[in-house]
């Protein structure tokens, strides 16, 4: 690390719109990680970046400085059945009803690849993969690095939480961004996501970058720019990266909520399930496989013939879960009836909020979630209904949560033209 920098000069430089050089970026990220740069200084810099942005070279350097703040795993020699296999992972920028990871990870592992999926928990209206899987009795998210490698080598698939050594600068910076109104900065979102994926050691990556009301950045142009920047970081970091920009104006699938989404994934793994989720899962699988040089794959076959289900069961059992155990169910279920007739629309953000209000989500990190709570849509975007038809159900264990969740769900529902399914792919960008 170079001497001679000081945080105030770097904040002023970005405030005034100057491009930071490699040395300044390395210095400030390292200083923040070691506690030499104060949180209020890093917050000010985050706000300056929010308004001034960063060039692609700055974003790439920022990302590698965050990777360098912790340990970078090396999965390059990972073997399955005695042969070295390529690694490929997936990330979604987060949407409502998005449980694709639960199906995609074991589906990909039916090929000779390994899928190291480090996931997070939900906060606010989008759910977290780990919360969903924790509704399976016995399943454990917290594996150490050696357990993670063992599960990967045995089953080709692992979904677990990230350890404290994985890009610690990102963890600390995200906490500051969260309380300073600086989360929705495209350079910082891109660097945050990519630093964790690069640090986990994956060789290839497929990104599902969402737009629409359920997404982080509702505007499709913003989603496209986020996808472009992440693909550029992948290219500069030696990770073969593909991004699909996909719709989340209406929820993906029919279920929103932890065990409810797991149940829906089991339907897909049994060869059925909602067509929008199946289509997006297969599109992402084809991209992921292409990134590791497998171009003639037909993911649908492996959902239909049970291979993906076998892979899911192996992955769940390897992490202590019982794939045969009944999933938790909520004690109370209420119906929502249509207030209008006609073709219908659902607002993804409001459906996500209704699920959160039913108890499926958390307000603060560390809170418990209700595994059985959530929403099931009986009729989806574009369906024709008559006033009085049942269009959705709300599920909750805490009965007092039902009125608020139902009111939000009623506000999510409306008549209108069909805007097309969730998961429709608007654009594809590749680093190769
Ligand atoms: N997800 C992340 O990991 N980081 C962000 O900044 C936003 C979403």
């Amino acid at each position: 690390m170079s001497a001679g920098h000081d945080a105030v000069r770097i904040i002023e430089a970005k405030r005034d719109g100057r491009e930071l050089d490699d040395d300044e970026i390395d210095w400030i990220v390292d200083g923040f990680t070691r506690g030499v740069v104060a949180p209020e200084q890093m917050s000010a810099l985050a706000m300056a970046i929010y308004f001034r942005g960063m060039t692609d070279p700055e974003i790439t350097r920022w990302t590698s400085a965050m990777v360098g703040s912790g340990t970078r795993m090396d999965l390059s020699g990972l073997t399955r059945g005695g042969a070295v296999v390529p690694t490929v992972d997936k990330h979604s920028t987060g949407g409502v009803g998005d449980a694709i990871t639960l199906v995609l990870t074991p589906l990909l592992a039916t090929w000779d690849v390994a899928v190291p999926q480090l996931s997070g928990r939900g906060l606010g209206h989008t759910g977290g993969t780990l919360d969903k899987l924790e509704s399976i009795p016995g399943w454990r998210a917290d594996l150490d690095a050696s357990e993670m490698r063992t599960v990967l080598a045995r089953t080709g698939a692992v979904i677990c939480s990230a350890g404290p050594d994985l890009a610690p600068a990102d963890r600390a910076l995200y906490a500051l961004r969260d309380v300073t109104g600086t989360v929705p900065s495209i350079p910082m979102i891109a660097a945050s996501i990519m630093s964790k994926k690069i640090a986990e050691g994956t060789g290839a990556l497929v990104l599902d970058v969402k737009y629409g009301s359920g997404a982080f950045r509702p505007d499709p142009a913003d989603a496209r720019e986020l996808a472009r920047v992440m693909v550029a970081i992948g290219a500069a970091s030696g990770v073969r990266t593909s991004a699909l920009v996909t719709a989340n104006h209406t929820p993906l699938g029919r279920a929103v909520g932890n065990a409810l989404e797991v149940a829906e994934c089991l339907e897909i793994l049994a060869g059925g399930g909602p067509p929008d989720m199946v289509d997006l899962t297969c599109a992402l699988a084809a991209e992921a496989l292409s990134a590791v040089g497998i171009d003639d794959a037909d993911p649908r076959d492996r959902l239909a013939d049970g291979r993906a289900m076998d892979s899911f069961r192996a992955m769940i059992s390897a992490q202590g879960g019982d794939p045969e155990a009944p999933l938790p169910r909520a004690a109370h279920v209420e119906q929502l009836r249509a207030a209008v007739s006609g073709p219908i629309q659902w607002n993804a953000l409001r459906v996500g909020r209704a699920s959160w209000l039913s108890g499926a989500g958390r307000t603060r990190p560390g809170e418990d979630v209700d595994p059985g709570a959530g929403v099931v849509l009986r009729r989806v975007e574009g369906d024709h209904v008559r006033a009085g038809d049942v269009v959705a159900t709300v599920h909750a264990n805490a009965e007092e949560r039902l009125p608020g969740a139902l009111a939000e769900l009623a506000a999510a529902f409306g008549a209108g033209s069909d805007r097309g399914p969730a998961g429709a792919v608007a654009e594809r960008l590749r680093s190769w």
Side-chain angles (χ1 to χ4, degrees), residues 181-407:
T182 52
V183 168
S185 147
I186 288 177
M188 284 191 285
I189 295 174
S192 166
I193 291 170
M194 292 303 287
S195 63
K196 288 174 285 206
K197 292 296 171 186
I198 295 165
E200 83 179 12
T202 191
L205 179 64
V206 61
L207 298 164
D208 179 0
V209 185
K210 305 226 175 264
Y211 68 91
S213 68
F216 234 111
R217 301 279 306 219
D219 183 344
D222 289 342
R224 194 200 172 279
E225 173 61 5
L226 179 56
R228 186 197 67 74
V229 174
M230 289 196 286
V231 169
I233 297 171
S237 315
V239 178
R240 276 167 74 89
T241 304
S242 168
L244 299 184
V245 178
T246 74
N248 198 213
H249 51 286
T250 193
L252 253 181
R254 291 170 176 268
V256 184
N258 301 302
L260 295 169
E261 289 184 49
V262 174
E264 186 166 78
C265 289
L266 290 171
E267 284 174 34
I268 299 170
L269 289 162
D276 59 346
M277 282 192 67
V278 175
D279 289 349
L280 182 55
T281 303
C282 291
L284 290 164
E287 280 308 291
L289 292 166
S290 211
V292 293
I294 303 171
D295 283 311
D296 54 353
D298 189 352
R300 277 174 210 274
D301 279 356
R302 298 185 183 208
L303 290 173
D305 67 16
R307 275 180 284 181
M309 179 67 98
D310 290 345
S311 172
F312 175 82
R313 288 170 188 262
M315 175 186 82
I316 295 300
S317 305
Q319 291 181 232
D322 177 359
E324 309 296 333
L327 292 167
R329 294 166 73 102
H332 306 282
V333 181
E334 287 261 352
Q335 297 178 331
L336 178 76
R337 289 179 184 275
V340 290
S341 301
I344 62 163
Q345 295 184 344
W346 288 106
N347 176 294
L349 172 63
R350 299 201 91 144
V351 174
R353 281 184 52 80
S355 169
W356 174 69
L357 288 168
S358 74
R362 54 173 68 80
T363 311
R364 258 173 257 104
E367 276 178 357
D368 285 339
V369 297
D370 177 348
V375 168
V376 177
L377 306 180
R378 304 289 170 193
R379 310 298 291 273
V380 294
E381 180 94 11
D383 283 352
H384 285 253
V385 304
R386 278 178 314 195
D389 288 352
V390 174
V391 290
T393 47
V394 180
H395 303 236
N397 279 306
E399 199 171 3
E400 66 280 8
R401 287 182 170 272
L402 285 171
L406 267 169

Side-chain angles (χ1 to χ4, degrees), residues 53-106:
M54 284 205 247
T55 62
D56 284 6
E58 280 179 301
I59 299 171
T60 300
R61 191 67 180 206
W62 187 270
T63 307
S64 49
M66 293 211 294
V67 173
S69 70
T71 310
R72 183 172 180 173
M73 289 178 73
D74 181 5
L75 297 175
S76 57
L78 195 90
T79 55
R80 277 183 79 187
V84 174
V85 289
T87 46
V88 59
D89 193 10
K90 173 255 184 179
H91 181 84
S92 161
T93 55
V96 173
D98 182 5
I100 297 250
T101 295
L102 276 59
V103 179
L104 182 66
T105 305

